[in-house]
C-alpha cells in the first residue's frame, strides 16, 4: 500500500514514524510546509516532519500552494493508494482529495464532530473537558466534516498541560491509523457520518486567548495556563512588563482580584474573582524560564504588588 504522508508539526511525526516502522506500508513521499524563519535570528527552520522524513531517506515535497493543479504532476509521479494527513496546515483541493484509491485519511485531535478546526487540543482544555480523543476520518471538502472510521477517547487529567495531552493524542492517533488502514485495504471499514448539529469549532489560538483576566475564577485560569503551556503561554503584566506563566495551581481564598497576596511557600498567590491562583513557574520579559521561587528570591515580585490583565 503506497502511502503519501502530509503533515508538518511534532503531532504528525508520531504517525509518520509508526507508518515507517510498521513495514507493511511504502511511504512513497512526504508533503510538508515550506521552511520558515524561526527564533531570534530568524534562521530558516525545517518542519519536524521534514526532518523525520529526511532522516529516513523519504522524498520531501514542500509546495507553496496546492491550488490550480500545482501539485498534480508530483501526485501522478508518486501514485499513492492513500494519502494520510496529520496537521498539514493547508486545505486540500478536490483533485488531491479524490486522487488516491482509498482517498485522504485525516488524524484529527478531537472526538468529532466536536472541536472541528485548528486548535482542538487547546480548546478542549480551555473549556474544562474531562475527556477528548482522536478521530480517523475520510477527508471531504468541508472543514473536518468527513465520515469517521475510528474514534479513541483520551482522558484529560488535572496534571496535563498542552504538551502532555498533545503527546498522548499523537500516540493514540498513530495507533488508530494503523488499525484503520488494513480495514480500508480489505474493504471492511465502516465509516459513520458526523452529526453536524453536535459540531463545535476550535478556532486557532490568538493573543487575546493568552491574557489572564483575574476577575475570573482561579480554576479556569489554571486551565488556561495548562492549555497554553509550554507555548504560547498565558500572560499578565507586572509593573508594565510582560510576565508569562508557565505553571500554576488553584487554591481556595479571597482577595482583591489581581493582588499578590503572598510569596510564601515558593509560589506567588494572586487573588482572583473566585479563589487564588498559586503561580509556580514564570517566564519574565527578557529573561529565561524560572521557578516562582527564583523569581521571588530575585525580588521580581512581592506581596501587595498588582498584576494587570492587559495585552
Amino acid at each position: 500500500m503506497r502511502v503519501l504522508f502530509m503533515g508538518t508539526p511534532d503531532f504528525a511525526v508520531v504517525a509518520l514514524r509508526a507508518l515507517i516502522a510498521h513495514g507493511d506500508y511504502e511511504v512513497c513521499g512526504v508533503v510538508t510546509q515550506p521552511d520558515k524563519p524561526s527564533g531570534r535570528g530568524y534562521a530558516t527552520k525545517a518542519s519536524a516532519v521534514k526532518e523525520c522524513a529526511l532522516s529516513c531517506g523519504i522524498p520531501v515535497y514542500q509546495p507553496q500552494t496546492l491550488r490550480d493543479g500545482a501539485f498534480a504532476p508530483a501526485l501522478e509521479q508518486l501514485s499513492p493508494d492513500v494519502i494520510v494527513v496529520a496537521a498539514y496546515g493547508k486545505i486540500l483541493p478536490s483533485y488531491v482529495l479524490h486522487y488516491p484509491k482509498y482517498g485522504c485519511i485525516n488524524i484529527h485531535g478531537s472526538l468529532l464532530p466536536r472541536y472541528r478546526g485548528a486548535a482542538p487540543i487547546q480548546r478542549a482544555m480551555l473549556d474544562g473537558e474531562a475527556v477528548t480523543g482522536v478521530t480517523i476520518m475520510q477527508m471531504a471538502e468541508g472543514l473536518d466534516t468527513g465520515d469517521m472510521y475510528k474514534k479513541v477517547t483520551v482522558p484529560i487529567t488535572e496534571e496535563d498541560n498542552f504538551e502532555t495531552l498533545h503527546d498522548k493524542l499523537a500516540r493514540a492517533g498513530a495507533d488508530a491509523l494503523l488499525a484503520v488502514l488494513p480495514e480500508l485495504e480489505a474493504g471492511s471499514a465502516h465509516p459513520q457520518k458526523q452529526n453536524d448539529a453536535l459540531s463545535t469549532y476550535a478556532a486557532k489560538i490568538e493573543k487575546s486567548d493568552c491574557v489572564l483576566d483575574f476577575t475570573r475564577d482561579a480554576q479556569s485560569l489554571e486551565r488556561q495556563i495548562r492549555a497554553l503551556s509550554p507555548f504560547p503561554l498565558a500572560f499578565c503584566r507586572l509593573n508594565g512588563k510582560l510576565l508569562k506563566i508557565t505553571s500554576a495551581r488553584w487554591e481556595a481564598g479571597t482577595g482583591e482580584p489581581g493582588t499578590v497576596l503572598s510569596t510564601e511557600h515558593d509560589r506567588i498567590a494572586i487573588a482572583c474573582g473566585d479563589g487564588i491562583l498559586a503561580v509556580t513557574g514564570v517566564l519574565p520579559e527578557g529573561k529565561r524560564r524560572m521557578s516562582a521561587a527564583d523569581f521571588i528570591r530575585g525580588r521580581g515580585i512581592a506581596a501587595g504588588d498588582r498584576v494587570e490583565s492587559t495585552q
Side-chain angles (χ1 to χ4, degrees):
M1 196 174 190
R2 288 174 63 82
V3 179
L4 177 61
F5 189 88
M6 304 180 78
T8 298
D10 290 325
F11 181 84
V13 170
V14 180
L16 177 57
R17 288 196 181 280
L19 280 170
I20 295 167
H22 192 274
D24 286 350
Y25 306 106
E26 179 188 353
V27 182
C28 57
V30 160
V31 182
T32 190
Q33 293 272 25
D35 298 355
K36 294 181 179 179
S38 178
R40 292 185 178 181
Y42 293 98
T44 301
K45 181 175 175 58
S47 73
V49 162
K50 179 180 178 178
E51 291 179 349
C52 174
L54 292 178
S55 72
C56 296
I58 298 172
V60 174
Y61 300 80
Q62 296 177 275
Q64 291 289 341
T65 182
L66 301 175
R67 296 175 184 170
D68 302 322
F71 193 62
L75 203 53
E76 290 287 347
Q77 181 183 11
L78 290 163
S79 189
D81 296 310
V82 66
I83 295 177
V84 172
V85 182
Y88 171 50
K90 288 182 184 289
I91 295 174
L92 303 191
S94 179
Y95 78 91
V96 176
L97 290 174
H98 296 109
Y99 181 89
K101 176 181 179 180
Y102 301 107
C104 295
I105 308 302
N106 180 242
I107 306 171
H108 185 75
S110 80
L111 298 173
L112 291 171
R114 290 179 59 78
Y115 298 107
R116 295 172 176 172
I121 303 174
Q122 294 100 324
R123 293 293 175 190
M125 294 191 76
L126 287 168
D127 290 347
E129 300 282 359
V131 172
T132 185
V134 289
T135 304
I136 308 297
M137 55 168 283
Q138 183 83 48
M139 294 184 72
E141 294 189 30
L143 179 64
D144 300 324
T145 57
D147 293 351
M148 303 175 294
Y149 287 112
K150 189 174 183 65
K151 295 165 78 169
V152 178
T153 59
V154 174
I156 303 175
T157 72
E158 293 182 356
E159 289 73 39
D160 276 322
N161 63 7
F162 169 64
E163 182 176 42
T164 61
L165 184 58
H166 165 282
D167 292 351
K168 291 177 185 177
L169 291 171
R171 289 192 295 271
D175 291 342
L177 174 69
L178 293 181
V180 167
L181 286 178
E183 293 178 355
L184 279 179
E185 194 170 19
S188 60
H190 300 290
Q192 294 184 328
K193 297 217 172 274
Q194 296 188 40
N195 184 347
D196 291 342
L198 300 178
S199 69
T200 59
Y201 178 60
K204 70 176 183 178
I205 299 298
E206 305 284 359
K207 187 177 180 180
S208 58
D209 294 307
C210 302
V211 179
L212 290 166
D213 179 359
F214 290 96
T215 63
R216 295 170 58 206
D217 66 279
Q219 266 187 295
S220 65
L221 294 185
E222 185 252 0
R223 286 199 305 268
Q224 181 183 4
I225 289 163
R226 288 192 290 117
L228 301 173
S229 181
F231 180 84
L233 294 176
F235 67 85
C236 55
R237 288 194 177 272
L238 172 67
N239 298 324
K241 291 186 177 182
L242 194 67
L243 181 65
K244 294 184 177 182
I245 310 299
T246 59
S247 60
R249 61 180 183 270
W250 73 274
E251 299 176 355
T254 59
E256 180 65 26
T259 301
V260 177
L261 301 177
S262 168
T263 56
E264 297 176 347
H265 309 299
D266 293 336
R267 97 275 194 251
I268 302 162
I270 305 173
C272 304
D274 181 13
I276 293 170
L277 187 71
V279 175
T280 54
V282 297
L283 175 60
E285 186 173 333
K287 297 184 180 180
R288 60 171 177 81
R289 292 175 187 247
M290 63 181 71
S291 66
D294 286 344
F295 190 54
I296 294 164
R297 281 193 288 271
R299 299 185 181 180
I301 197 165
D305 284 348
R306 297 268 309 165
V307 291
E308 298 176 341
S309 305
T310 62
Q311 294 194 40

